[in-house]
Amino acid sequence: MSYSGRLVERIAQVTLLYSRIVDMKTDLVIDGYEKNKSDIFELEVARRKAGELWCELCIEWFALKTPQNRQEQIVMKSIADEAREIFGS
Amino acid sequence: MKKTINQVIKTIEKAKSELEFIPTGFRNLDTILDGGFLRKELIVLGGFTGSGKSFFCGQIFLNVMRKGFRCLYFSLEISNETVVSRLLGGLADINPTRIRAGWLTEDEQKRKIEAKTELASLNGFGGLYDEMYKLDDIEREIKKEAPDFVVIDFIQNIFADGDEYAKLSAISLKLQELAKSQNCAILVASQLSNSFAKEGVEAKNIQYKGSGNIAMVADMGFIIDRAENSKITLGLQKNRRGVSRTQFEFGVKEKGGLIYEL
């Protein structure tokens, strides 16, 4: 497997982790913010860290990869847009 | 089976496209190694008790996983909990014992959560074993999991019949055969012979405890030395691919034990 392929696998794992953290946090908020306050705080720290990791990996991947065709250009742009939307940068 | 020179050249040309380095994550070391370890290589890391062998193995295990390689860690000395606490401690810059005991300040708690998140993101890339002492069991797991990179800490604790010399000779050969047949790199930690103590990292011959055979079989041989608490010297004593007799200096962060290049 290429280095780029390995990065994509890591990005997939971090994306999965990020979604799981967000789901867990949402469940706790629904269950009651006050009684789950400390767990929600921990999950928020974890969410931010997972987001940072995700961005770092995407930047590393983008640096490696020049889009080969229009389709790849669209996929890479949509990832960048999604990152901006989620992390605001 | 006999092969002609042209056939061997063709094999080299074909293998070139499949050549993939497994970076150690330490820039200077990877530069000297042309990119890192290679599949099918057996690498030996020798050091005395307390020299930082396990910390160094753990750090390379983490660095290799970060690059998206599948890794296995066979700890024959310390528990999985200790290995992971050390990784967490290194990432969070907190003493691992404090992490295990839960004696953390608010800021440390935040750093621990961040470190835990980073390790969780590597969940699919690493497996740990701390109750596997037989070579047959280790071999079975490697064949089952098909990893890219394996760490065994340390070789003298692998259970096998025979006196120490015969035992370690057989184990070294088996590990070399495994690295080749399973197309992975194997890093194995080893204790050093007492006579080596007199010469230190500048010694001409590597003397791993119980057998000179490990050094002979290995594709790469390192000696780790921790002259002071915050500094590690790594000597590349043997390298079948090129440069050897080179030393690397590393710093060790006081709290979490994170190893970094100086």
Side-chain angles (χ1 to χ4, degrees):
Chain A
M1 189 189 290
S2 65
Y3 180 47
S4 167
R6 293 192 187 285
L7 268 177
V8 170
E9 283 208 347
R10 279 222 58 205
I11 291 168
Q13 287 273 345
V14 176
T15 308
L16 199 68
L17 178 69
Y18 186 89
S19 308
R20 272 180 35 219
I21 293 168
V22 170
D23 289 347
M24 282 161 69
K25 197 184 141 195
T26 309
D27 288 347
L28 287 181
V29 172
I30 292 168
D31 185 48
Y33 181 82
E34 279 306 320
K35 72 172 179 182
N36 296 312
K37 212 170 169 178
S38 68
D39 288 342
I40 291 169
F41 169 76
E42 285 199 8
L43 286 168
E44 179 53 22
V45 173
R47 186 193 71 81
R48 280 188 205 161
K49 181 65 188 175
E52 276 173 30
L53 285 170
W54 194 80
C55 283
E56 281 168 18
L57 290 167
C58 285
I59 289 165
E60 208 174 328
W61 186 63
F62 277 22
L64 279 181
K65 199 162 170 61
T66 311
Q68 299 296 307
N69 51 46
R70 179 78 185 134
Q71 181 62 30
E72 280 193 6
Q73 205 173 4
I74 292 167
V75 171
M76 287 173 81
K77 189 179 176 305
S78 73
I79 291 173
D81 288 345
E82 201 179 331
R84 263 184 227 106
E85 197 178 305
I86 296 173
F87 308 110
S89 61
Chain B
M1 192 207 302
K2 186 184 90 175
K3 282 189 176 171
T4 66
I5 289 175
N6 276 346
Q7 282 171 327
V8 177
I9 289 174
K10 271 186 188 164
T11 310
I12 295 169
E13 291 295 321
K14 190 171 168 266
K16 205 161 61 178
S17 60
E18 294 158 13
L19 200 69
E20 188 179 22
F21 287 95
I22 300 173
T24 64
F26 295 115
R27 192 183 294 247
N28 296 338
L29 183 56
D30 286 336
T31 303
I32 290 289
L33 300 180
D34 301 314
F37 302 138
L38 275 179
R39 291 174 187 279
K40 301 182 196 291
E41 279 184 337
L42 177 66
I43 306 111
V44 185
L45 174 69
F48 293 108
T49 304
S51 58
K53 289 189 299 290
S54 300
F55 265 101
F56 202 78
C57 283
Q59 182 99 35
I60 291 183
F61 174 66
L62 174 69
N63 292 350
V64 174
M65 283 193 294
R66 277 170 160 167
K67 293 292 176 191
F69 290 92
R70 257 78 182 167
C71 306
L72 297 181
Y73 196 108
F74 294 92
S75 176
L76 284 77
E77 187 184 32
I78 55 178
S79 67
N80 288 339
E81 289 79 6
T82 304
V83 174
V84 174
S85 299
R86 284 179 176 187
L87 297 180
L88 278 173
L91 288 169
D93 197 23
I94 305 168
N95 181 308
T97 312
R98 284 170 59 86
I99 288 185
R100 290 191 73 175
W103 303 326
L104 302 174
T105 64
E106 203 172 304
D107 183 53
E108 285 173 337
Q109 179 67 14
K110 186 173 171 278
R111 295 207 308 267
K112 189 196 99 176
I113 297 166
E114 288 175 344
K116 216 167 85 176
T117 307
E118 177 157 6
L119 285 188
S121 79
L122 299 169
N123 195 39
F125 296 91
L128 296 123
Y129 304 83
D130 63 358
E131 289 178 342
M132 212 164 266
Y133 295 90
K134 289 184 182 168
L135 188 60
D136 290 347
D137 294 339
I138 293 172
E139 180 184 2
R140 194 191 59 239
E141 282 305 304
I142 292 174
K143 285 182 173 170
K144 191 178 95 188
E145 299 290 330
D148 302 302
F149 181 63
V150 177
V151 178
I152 300 173
D153 179 20
F154 57 87
I155 195 167
Q156 279 80 10
N157 273 3
I158 296 178
F159 182 80
D161 292 330
D163 63 34
E164 198 164 26
Y165 189 93
K167 178 186 113 170
L168 291 177
S169 295
I171 292 169
S172 320
L173 283 167
K174 184 70 205 170
L175 292 177
Q176 187 195 41
E177 187 269 316
L178 257 178
K180 284 182 179 162
S181 66
Q182 300 308 303
N183 198 29
C184 61
I186 299 180
L187 170 66
V188 60
S190 172
Q191 290 187 330
L192 294 174
S193 70
N194 291 332
S195 57
F196 188 83
K198 293 171 195 160
E199 298 177 72
V201 289
E202 286 169 5
K204 286 191 176 139
N205 298 306
I206 316 171
Q207 294 166 35
Y208 299 111
K209 193 174 185 179
S211 170
N213 209 12
I214 311 170
M216 200 169 73
V217 167
D219 297 289
M220 214 171 268
F222 292 96
I223 300 293
I224 191 167
D225 190 29
R226 195 171 187 173
E228 49 189 285
N229 203 34
S230 59
K231 198 176 154 194
I232 279 176
T233 305
L234 185 75
L236 174 57
Q237 308 291 110
K238 179 185 179 185
N239 178 10
R240 282 197 170 136
R241 285 192 277 124
V243 179
S244 61
R245 308 281 174 210
T246 307
Q247 286 190 25
F248 304 88
E249 301 289 337
F250 296 88
V252 183
K253 284 206 174 175
E254 197 187 326
K255 288 179 187 167
L258 184 87
I259 297 168
Y260 58 94
E261 276 180 316
L262 290 174

Coordinates of all heavy atoms in Angstrom, one line a residue, chain B residues 158-202:
Chain B
I158 N 11.7 -15.1 25.8 CA 10.9 -16.0 25.0 C 11.2 -17.4 25.5 O 12.4 -17.8 25.7 CB 11.2 -15.9 23.5 CG1 10.8 -14.5 23.0 CG2 10.5 -17.0 22.7 CD1 11.2 -14.3 21.5
F159 N 10.1 -18.2 25.7 CA 10.3 -19.5 26.3 C 10.6 -20.5 25.2 O 9.9 -20.6 24.2 CB 9.0 -19.9 27.0 CG 9.1 -21.3 27.6 CD1 9.7 -21.4 28.9 CD2 8.6 -22.4 27.0 CE1 9.8 -22.7 29.5 CE2 8.7 -23.6 27.6 CZ 9.3 -23.8 28.8
A160 N 11.7 -21.3 25.4 CA 12.1 -22.3 24.5 C 13.0 -23.3 25.2 O 13.6 -23.0 26.2 CB 12.8 -21.8 23.2
D161 N 13.1 -24.5 24.7 CA 14.0 -25.5 25.3 C 15.4 -25.3 25.0 O 15.8 -24.6 24.0 CB 13.6 -26.9 24.8 CG 12.2 -27.3 25.3 OD1 11.8 -26.9 26.4 OD2 11.5 -28.1 24.5
G162 N 16.3 -25.9 25.7 CA 17.7 -25.9 25.5 C 18.4 -24.9 26.3 O 17.8 -24.1 27.1
D163 N 19.8 -24.9 26.3 CA 20.5 -23.9 27.0 C 20.4 -22.5 26.4 O 19.8 -22.4 25.3 CB 22.0 -24.3 27.2 CG 22.8 -24.4 25.9 OD1 22.4 -23.6 25.0 OD2 23.6 -25.2 25.7
E164 N 20.9 -21.5 27.0 CA 20.6 -20.1 26.5 C 21.1 -19.9 25.1 O 20.4 -19.3 24.3 CB 21.1 -19.1 27.5 CG 20.5 -17.7 27.3 CD 20.6 -16.8 28.4 OE1 21.6 -16.9 29.1 OE2 19.8 -15.9 28.5
Y165 N 22.3 -20.4 24.9 CA 22.9 -20.2 23.6 C 22.1 -20.8 22.5 O 21.7 -20.2 21.5 CB 24.4 -20.7 23.5 CG 25.1 -20.3 22.3 CD1 25.9 -19.1 22.2 CD2 25.0 -21.0 21.1 CE1 26.5 -18.7 21.1 CE2 25.6 -20.6 19.9 CZ 26.4 -19.5 19.9 OH 27.0 -19.1 18.8
A166 N 21.8 -22.1 22.7 CA 21.0 -22.9 21.7 C 19.6 -22.3 21.5 O 19.1 -22.1 20.4 CB 20.9 -24.3 22.1
K167 N 19.0 -21.9 22.6 CA 17.7 -21.3 22.6 C 17.6 -20.0 21.8 O 16.8 -19.9 20.9 CB 17.3 -21.1 24.1 CG 15.9 -20.5 24.3 CD 15.7 -20.1 25.7 CE 15.6 -18.6 25.9 NZ 15.1 -18.2 27.2
L168 N 18.5 -19.1 22.1 CA 18.5 -17.8 21.5 C 18.9 -17.9 20.0 O 18.4 -17.2 19.2 CB 19.4 -16.8 22.2 CG 18.9 -16.4 23.6 CD1 19.8 -15.5 24.3 CD2 17.5 -15.8 23.4
S169 N 19.8 -18.9 19.7 CA 20.2 -19.1 18.3 C 18.9 -19.5 17.5 O 18.7 -19.0 16.4 CB 21.3 -20.1 18.2 OG 22.4 -19.7 18.8
A170 N 18.2 -20.5 18.0 CA 17.0 -21.0 17.4 C 16.0 -19.9 17.2 O 15.3 -19.8 16.2 CB 16.5 -22.2 18.1
I171 N 15.8 -19.1 18.3 CA 14.8 -18.1 18.3 C 15.1 -17.0 17.2 O 14.3 -16.6 16.4 CB 14.6 -17.4 19.7 CG1 14.0 -18.5 20.6 CG2 13.7 -16.2 19.6 CD1 14.0 -18.0 22.1
S172 N 16.4 -16.6 17.2 CA 16.8 -15.6 16.2 C 16.6 -16.0 14.8 O 16.1 -15.3 14.0 CB 18.3 -15.3 16.4 OG 18.7 -15.3 17.7
L173 N 17.0 -17.3 14.5 CA 16.8 -17.8 13.2 C 15.3 -17.8 12.8 O 14.9 -17.5 11.7 CB 17.4 -19.2 13.0 CG 18.9 -19.2 12.9 CD1 19.5 -20.6 13.1 CD2 19.3 -18.6 11.5
K174 N 14.5 -18.2 13.8 CA 13.0 -18.4 13.5 C 12.4 -17.0 13.3 O 11.6 -16.8 12.4 CB 12.4 -19.0 14.8 CG 10.9 -19.3 14.6 CD 10.7 -20.4 13.6 CE 9.3 -20.3 13.0 NZ 9.1 -21.2 11.9
L175 N 12.9 -16.0 14.1 CA 12.4 -14.6 13.9 C 12.8 -14.0 12.5 O 12.0 -13.4 11.8 CB 12.9 -13.7 15.0 CG 12.3 -13.9 16.4 CD1 12.9 -13.0 17.4 CD2 10.8 -13.8 16.4
Q176 N 14.0 -14.4 12.1 CA 14.5 -13.9 10.8 C 13.6 -14.6 9.7 O 13.2 -13.9 8.7 CB 15.9 -14.3 10.6 CG 16.5 -13.7 9.3 CD 17.8 -14.3 8.9 OE1 18.0 -15.5 9.0 NE2 18.8 -13.5 8.5
E177 N 13.3 -15.8 9.9 CA 12.5 -16.6 8.9 C 11.1 -16.0 8.8 O 10.5 -15.8 7.7 CB 12.6 -18.1 9.3 CG 11.9 -19.0 8.3 CD 10.4 -19.2 8.5 OE1 10.1 -19.4 9.7 OE2 9.7 -19.2 7.6
L178 N 10.6 -15.7 10.0 CA 9.2 -15.1 10.1 C 9.1 -13.8 9.4 O 8.2 -13.5 8.7 CB 8.9 -14.9 11.6 CG 7.9 -15.9 12.2 CD1 7.7 -15.5 13.7 CD2 6.6 -16.0 11.5
A179 N 10.2 -12.9 9.6 CA 10.2 -11.6 9.0 C 10.1 -11.7 7.5 O 9.4 -11.0 6.8 CB 11.4 -10.8 9.4
K180 N 10.9 -12.7 7.0 CA 10.9 -12.9 5.5 C 9.6 -13.5 5.0 O 9.0 -13.0 4.0 CB 12.1 -13.8 5.2 CG 13.4 -13.1 5.2 CD 14.5 -14.0 4.8 CE 15.9 -13.2 4.9 NZ 17.0 -14.1 4.9
S181 N 9.2 -14.6 5.7 CA 8.0 -15.3 5.1 C 6.7 -14.4 5.3 O 5.8 -14.5 4.5 CB 7.8 -16.6 5.8 OG 7.5 -16.5 7.2
Q182 N 6.7 -13.6 6.4 CA 5.4 -12.8 6.6 C 5.5 -11.4 6.0 O 4.6 -10.6 6.2 CB 5.1 -12.8 8.1 CG 4.9 -14.1 8.7 CD 3.8 -15.0 7.9 OE1 2.7 -14.5 7.8 NE2 4.2 -16.1 7.5
N183 N 6.7 -11.1 5.4 CA 6.9 -9.8 4.8 C 6.7 -8.6 5.7 O 6.0 -7.6 5.4 CB 5.9 -9.7 3.6 CG 6.4 -8.6 2.6 OD1 7.6 -8.3 2.5 ND2 5.4 -7.9 2.0
C184 N 7.2 -8.8 6.9 CA 7.1 -7.7 7.9 C 8.5 -7.4 8.5 O 9.4 -8.2 8.3 CB 6.2 -8.1 9.0 SG 6.7 -9.5 10.0
A185 N 8.7 -6.2 9.2 CA 9.9 -5.9 9.9 C 9.7 -6.3 11.3 O 8.6 -6.1 11.9 CB 10.2 -4.5 9.7
I186 N 10.7 -6.9 11.9 CA 10.6 -7.3 13.3 C 11.7 -6.6 14.1 O 12.9 -6.8 13.8 CB 10.7 -8.9 13.5 CG1 9.5 -9.6 12.8 CG2 10.7 -9.2 15.0 CD1 9.5 -11.1 12.9
L187 N 11.3 -5.9 15.1 CA 12.3 -5.2 16.0 C 12.2 -6.0 17.3 O 11.2 -6.1 18.0 CB 11.8 -3.8 16.3 CG 12.6 -3.0 17.4 CD1 14.0 -2.8 17.1 CD2 11.9 -1.7 17.6
V188 N 13.4 -6.5 17.7 CA 13.4 -7.3 18.9 C 14.4 -6.7 19.9 O 15.6 -6.4 19.5 CB 13.7 -8.8 18.6 CG1 15.1 -9.0 17.9 CG2 13.7 -9.7 19.9
A189 N 14.0 -6.5 21.1 CA 14.9 -6.0 22.1 C 15.7 -7.1 22.8 O 15.2 -8.3 22.8 CB 14.1 -5.3 23.2
S190 N 16.9 -6.8 23.2 CA 17.7 -7.8 23.8 C 18.6 -7.2 24.9 O 19.0 -6.1 24.8 CB 18.7 -8.4 22.7 OG 19.6 -9.3 23.3
Q191 N 18.9 -8.1 25.9 CA 19.8 -7.6 26.9 C 21.2 -7.8 26.4 O 21.4 -8.4 25.4 CB 19.6 -8.5 28.2 CG 18.3 -8.2 28.9 CD 18.2 -8.9 30.2 OE1 18.7 -9.9 30.4 NE2 17.4 -8.3 31.1
L192 N 22.2 -7.2 27.0 CA 23.6 -7.2 26.6 C 24.4 -8.1 27.5 O 24.0 -8.3 28.7 CB 24.2 -5.8 26.5 CG 23.6 -4.9 25.5 CD1 24.2 -3.5 25.7 CD2 23.8 -5.4 24.1
S193 N 25.4 -8.7 27.0 CA 26.3 -9.5 27.8 C 27.1 -8.6 28.8 O 27.3 -7.4 28.5 CB 27.3 -10.2 27.0 OG 28.2 -9.3 26.4
N194 N 27.5 -9.2 29.9 CA 28.2 -8.4 30.9 C 29.5 -7.9 30.4 O 29.9 -6.8 30.7 CB 28.4 -9.2 32.2 CG 27.0 -9.5 32.9 OD1 26.1 -8.7 32.8 ND2 26.9 -10.6 33.6
S195 N 30.1 -8.7 29.5 CA 31.5 -8.2 29.0 C 31.3 -7.0 28.2 O 32.3 -6.2 28.1 CB 32.1 -9.4 28.2 OG 31.3 -9.8 27.2
F196 N 30.1 -6.8 27.6 CA 29.9 -5.6 26.7 C 30.0 -4.4 27.6 O 30.3 -3.3 27.1 CB 28.6 -5.8 26.0 CG 28.4 -4.7 25.0 CD1 28.9 -4.9 23.7 CD2 27.6 -3.6 25.3 CE1 28.7 -3.9 22.7 CE2 27.4 -2.6 24.3 CZ 28.0 -2.8 23.0
A197 N 29.6 -4.5 28.8 CA 29.5 -3.3 29.7 C 30.9 -2.6 29.8 O 30.9 -1.4 29.9 CB 29.2 -3.8 31.1
K198 N 31.9 -3.3 29.6 CA 33.3 -2.7 29.7 C 33.5 -1.8 28.5 O 34.2 -0.8 28.6 CB 34.3 -3.8 29.8 CG 34.3 -4.6 31.0 CD 35.2 -5.8 30.9 CE 34.9 -6.8 32.0 NZ 35.4 -8.1 31.7
E199 N 32.9 -2.1 27.4 CA 33.3 -1.4 26.1 C 32.2 -0.3 25.8 O 32.5 0.7 25.1 CB 33.4 -2.3 24.9 CG 34.5 -3.4 25.1 CD 34.5 -4.3 24.0 OE1 34.9 -3.9 22.9 OE2 34.1 -5.5 24.1
G200 N 31.0 -0.5 26.2 CA 29.9 0.5 25.9 C 29.5 0.5 24.5 O 29.8 -0.3 23.7
V201 N 28.8 1.6 24.1 CA 28.3 1.7 22.7 C 29.3 1.8 21.6 O 29.0 1.7 20.5 CB 27.3 3.0 22.6 CG1 26.0 2.7 23.3 CG2 28.0 4.2 23.0
E202 N 30.6 2.1 22.0 CA 31.6 2.2 21.0 C 32.3 0.8 20.8 O 33.3 0.7 20.0 CB 32.6 3.2 21.4 CG 32.0 4.6 21.2 CD 32.9 5.7 21.8 OE1 34.0 5.4 22.3 OE2 32.4 6.9 21.8

